[in-house]
Amino acid sequence: MMENQAKKLKRTITLVRILIKYGFEELLIRSNIRSLLSPSATEADSFESDGEKLSFNVYERIRMALEELGPTYVKFGQAFSTREDLLPKDMIVELQKLQDKVEPEALDVRGFIEADLGVEPDQLFKHIESEPFASASISQVYKATLKNGSAVILKIKRGGIREVVASDMLIMKDVAKLLVSYSEVFRKVNLVEVLEAFEKSIFHELSFLNELSNIEQFSRNFNDNKDIYLIKTYPELSNDNILCMEYVDGVKITDKPVLIEMGLEPAEIAARGLDLYLTQVLDHGFFHADPHPGNLLVLASGQIAFIDFGTMGSMMPKDKEQLEDFISYFIAQDARRLIAVIKKMAIRFSIPDETKLEKDIHDFFNLLEGSSLHQMDVKEVLSKFSGILNENEILMPEHLYLLVRGIVLIEGIGRALVPDLNIIESLKPYILKIALARLSPEYLQKKGIKFLRTMADALKTVPDDLVSIVSKLNSGELKVVQEVRELPALQERIVQGFNRTVFAIVLCGVWISSALLVLADKPPKWSGIPALAWIGFAISAVLMLILLISYIFGKKPGKKI
């Protein structure tokens, strides 16, 4: 604990020095960040602004300060580089300049491998380059050749990087709490929650075993897809500090002239890349969270290889289904249902005026209608929609923010290859696929059984709940004081609602039974479907019609129960 506090204090002093160097002393005073330092620390260090640095505008100075503060702050800035709904455009431009590239540090690669893996490098490798061909804030990457002649890369974690990130995160969380307490703006953008999601993401990226697991799951998902090249990994030569995988000799996906020289059609490559990404999101629910051009390589065969799996987006089946609903209602421009599914998806929301929210979304749809599809910028569309969510303090789960970033990057790649690419049009086949899947007997059977189980579980608890309520009423623990006007009308509505619920359960039962009969495949048949199933579906249709009429005209379906 004392060691962590000492590291935190040291990094805090560095933070204060750099902020003052770039002219942000007023921020320190307003947010009281200096309170994080002990008096002895502030007296021992003199902080002075750098006059040369102050000649740059404020957004340039923010970017330069983040770069000097190191990997944690650079990655945090990169995470906000697509949040045009939150930050000024000029600041977004500067954040997008942030490069996760640092000078390589001296490293005895062979000695590191021997110490960390416990094996003699010459037993496994024919050759290992002593200088890295890529150097980032978290790791350095070296080319090597295995004894069997296979070309591989060795991704080696920088020494002490986990400790640096851990101390940075402690400071950033303290600063976030101060900023939230001093400014309503930071509270509304959910700064603390955003920072928690970022912390989770960066520590996942620090674990090479986590990245290895991501690559293996990604490969299983695309096992039968010929359009993608799946990178081979070497688990026996990997651990939490070293990741060994196949070296892929490919071309950056946005290098259009080289693609044409290779005899490849840029439009086909763009369509293939978009299709592969949408497959990850809508089919697998497990997607690459940073698909920038440097992480997508094109091989001579036309296959696309994704690299760098440190951060992935992941969705549970429920999340994926809600995303499908969101996309369907968005494309259909159904504002009311869109708001309903947003509430289900949100971690937290505070909608002051739902009617205004619905109107804002309708206005947003009208704006889209008035724009030419081929001129539509997905980044701008998502930014405007995120702005509507932020006004209502709607906090969405982390995987959605990762998805938005991914879609913006993929659309940028597509437009670099095909200027008039329209990603909205590309989504429509997936919407049709989702709609057809939800009309299948298997899906209806699954949802019907789930509904009946939910109802059965609810009904099981009703007797016990009633007994408990009556017991509390008798003992005087629970008292109900309520004035009910127009009681007969209220009783009528309650009975009517109960009747409709029971009627709906019967309707579901008949529909599910009919679907099961389809799967049973028993004669006699008509158009390939058993006659009994047709009868069941017909009864279901009649019952549905009666139920709809009862809702429209206020009549009860059947006698009172």
Side-chain angles (χ1 to χ4, degrees):
M1 179 66 72
M2 290 299 294
E3 184 180 356
N4 287 340
Q5 289 301 319
K7 290 176 181 177
K8 176 181 172 182
L9 177 60
K10 184 178 178 181
R11 286 293 290 169
T12 304
I13 294 172
T14 302
L15 170 67
V16 171
R17 180 185 292 113
I18 291 173
L19 288 178
I20 291 178
K21 175 181 177 180
Y22 288 94
F24 297 111
E25 187 168 10
E26 186 179 353
L27 172 65
L28 296 174
I29 295 170
R30 286 188 178 182
S31 62
N32 204 23
I33 291 176
R34 281 191 188 232
S35 67
L36 301 176
L37 294 173
S38 64
S40 59
T42 55
E43 290 169 7
D45 291 85
S46 60
F47 306 118
E48 294 181 1
S49 298
D50 188 328
E52 183 182 346
K53 304 299 183 188
L54 298 182
S55 64
F56 295 94
N57 69 46
V58 63
Y59 303 125
E60 289 174 320
R61 287 186 279 121
I62 288 173
R63 187 253 305 164
M64 294 163 72
L66 291 173
E67 287 176 335
E68 190 165 336
L69 282 166
T72 314
Y73 295 89
V74 167
K75 288 188 175 295
F76 190 64
Q78 289 174 332
F80 272 90
S81 65
T82 57
R83 298 303 303 272
E84 294 185 357
D85 55 309
L86 298 179
L87 302 175
K89 186 175 181 179
D90 290 341
M91 185 170 178
I92 292 292
V93 170
E94 287 300 318
L95 292 180
Q96 289 174 345
K97 295 178 184 177
L98 287 169
Q99 296 294 317
D100 188 21
K101 293 179 181 178
V102 296
E103 288 297 318
E105 63 180 11
L107 177 67
D108 178 7
V109 185
R110 290 178 172 274
F112 188 91
I113 292 171
E114 184 172 3
D116 221 59
L117 294 178
V119 293
E120 171 59 44
D122 289 335
Q123 296 177 0
L124 303 169
F125 297 93
K126 183 186 297 184
H127 173 71
I128 302 175
E129 292 189 0
S130 57
E131 296 296 324
F133 80 92
S135 178
S137 54
I138 287 178
S139 62
Q140 298 186 160
V141 185
Y142 298 81
K143 290 181 181 178
T145 307
L146 296 178
K147 282 288 189 180
N148 62 8
S150 299
V152 298
I153 62 169
L154 293 167
K155 191 173 180 179
I156 298 180
K157 192 183 301 180
R158 284 180 178 270
I161 185 64
R162 180 175 287 274
E163 290 74 18
V164 171
V165 171
S167 58
D168 281 343
M169 290 308 309
L170 288 173
I171 298 166
M172 291 173 77
K173 285 190 282 189
D174 284 344
V175 173
K177 289 174 184 176
L178 283 172
L179 293 175
V180 167
S181 65
Y182 274 83
S183 172
E184 182 73 7
V185 174
F186 289 105
R187 187 187 68 79
K188 284 192 172 183
V189 300
N190 304 297
L191 182 61
V192 173
E193 290 85 352
V194 167
L195 196 58
E196 288 174 354
F198 171 73
E199 180 181 31
K200 179 182 175 183
S201 173
I202 196 169
F203 276 114
H204 275 174
E205 192 173 348
L206 282 169
S207 170
F208 287 174
L209 287 177
N210 178 69
E211 184 170 354
L212 178 65
S213 175
N214 289 340
I215 298 172
E216 291 174 343
Q217 182 176 341
F218 188 87
S219 297
R220 287 193 298 270
N221 290 345
F222 279 106
N223 189 41
D224 298 324
N225 193 311
K226 304 301 181 185
D227 290 333
I228 193 167
Y229 186 85
L230 302 173
I231 298 174
K232 182 180 179 181
T233 58
Y234 297 85
E236 69 278 8
L237 300 177
S238 304
N239 61 20
D240 208 44
N241 297 316
I242 301 174
L243 180 59
C244 182
M245 57 188 138
E246 175 185 8
Y247 172 73
V248 179
D249 187 13
V251 176
K252 187 187 291 189
I253 193 169
T254 50
D255 200 339
K256 190 173 179 178
V258 177
L259 293 177
I260 294 173
E261 285 179 14
M262 294 166 61
L264 300 173
E265 177 57 50
E268 291 182 8
I269 297 299
R272 189 171 300 157
L274 178 59
D275 183 67
L276 289 173
Y277 193 73
L278 292 176
T279 299
Q280 293 172 46
V281 174
L282 298 176
D283 289 348
H284 304 156
F286 183 73
F287 56 92
H288 199 293
D290 192 21
H292 65 73
N295 282 339
L296 276 77
L297 303 178
V298 181
L299 282 63
S301 62
Q303 290 177 299
I304 295 175
F306 285 76
I307 62 173
D308 193 354
F309 294 84
T311 306
M312 300 290 289
S314 181
M315 293 184 286
M316 296 184 295
K318 179 191 71 173
D319 299 326
K320 196 159 75 72
E321 189 167 327
Q322 289 174 348
L323 178 62
E324 291 172 356
D325 288 336
F326 180 93
I327 296 172
S328 299
Y329 299 147
F330 190 95
I331 297 294
Q333 298 192 2
D334 189 334
R336 186 163 295 181
R337 284 192 172 91
L338 190 63
I339 292 172
V341 78
I342 286 172
K343 287 180 178 179
K344 291 179 183 177
M345 298 170 79
I347 296 174
R348 186 181 72 244
F349 60 86
S350 177
I351 302 173
D353 186 343
E354 192 160 317
T355 302
K356 181 180 181 301
L357 173 59
E358 186 175 347
K359 182 181 181 302
D360 289 343
I361 292 177
H362 272 298
D363 291 342
F364 174 76
F365 287 149
N366 291 334
L367 180 65
L368 296 186
E369 283 290 319
S371 304
S372 175
L373 285 176
H374 72 275
Q375 294 177 344
M376 193 180 298
D377 185 342
V378 166
K379 184 193 295 186
E380 186 178 349
V381 169
L382 293 174
S383 177
K384 287 182 182 297
F385 194 79
S386 295
I388 294 173
L389 299 184
N390 291 334
E391 286 177 10
N392 292 275
E393 298 186 43
I394 298 173
L395 176 63
M396 303 301 274
E398 179 193 6
H399 66 263
L400 284 181
Y401 294 111
L402 293 176
L403 177 58
V404 168
R405 171 179 166 80
I407 289 176
V408 168
L409 290 170
I410 284 291
E411 199 243 0
I413 290 172
R415 284 186 181 271
L417 297 174
V418 185
D420 61 350
L421 174 75
N422 185 270
I423 198 170
I424 303 295
E425 286 295 321
S426 302
L427 275 171
K428 289 185 178 178
Y430 283 88
I431 301 303
L432 178 60
K433 181 180 176 182
I434 291 167
L436 291 175
R438 292 188 176 190
L439 290 174
S440 68
E442 293 83 359
Y443 180 84
L444 293 172
Q445 178 188 355
K446 178 182 175 183
K447 296 297 288 185
I449 290 173
K450 182 179 178 180
F451 173 77
L452 289 176
R453 283 178 177 169
T454 302
M455 292 296 296
D457 290 341
L459 290 172
K460 282 179 186 177
T461 63
V462 169
D464 291 337
D465 291 341
L466 287 173
V467 169
S468 176
I469 291 171
V470 171
S471 176
K472 288 181 179 180
L473 283 170
N474 290 335
S475 64
E477 294 179 42
L478 179 65
K479 294 181 180 180
V480 179
V481 179
Q482 186 174 358
E483 180 183 352
V484 181
R485 297 177 181 178
E486 300 180 1
L487 185 58
L490 177 61
Q491 289 174 331
E492 184 73 12
R493 286 196 294 272
I494 292 172
V495 171
Q496 188 180 51
F498 183 74
N499 285 339
R500 286 174 177 165
T501 302
V502 173
F503 200 79
I505 293 172
V506 172
L507 171 60
C508 289
V510 174
W511 181 268
I512 292 168
S513 300
S514 303
L516 290 172
L517 286 170
V518 173
L519 299 175
D521 199 31
K522 292 183 179 180
K525 295 182 179 180
W526 183 45
S527 297
I529 297 177
L532 285 175
W534 280 113
I535 294 171
F537 286 131
I539 294 172
S540 300
V542 173
L543 294 175
M544 176 64 76
L545 182 61
I546 294 171
L547 190 60
L548 287 173
I549 291 172
S550 76
Y551 272 108
I552 294 170
F553 297 102
K555 296 178 181 179
K556 295 181 287 296
K559 297 179 180 179
K560 294 183 181 180
I561 298 175

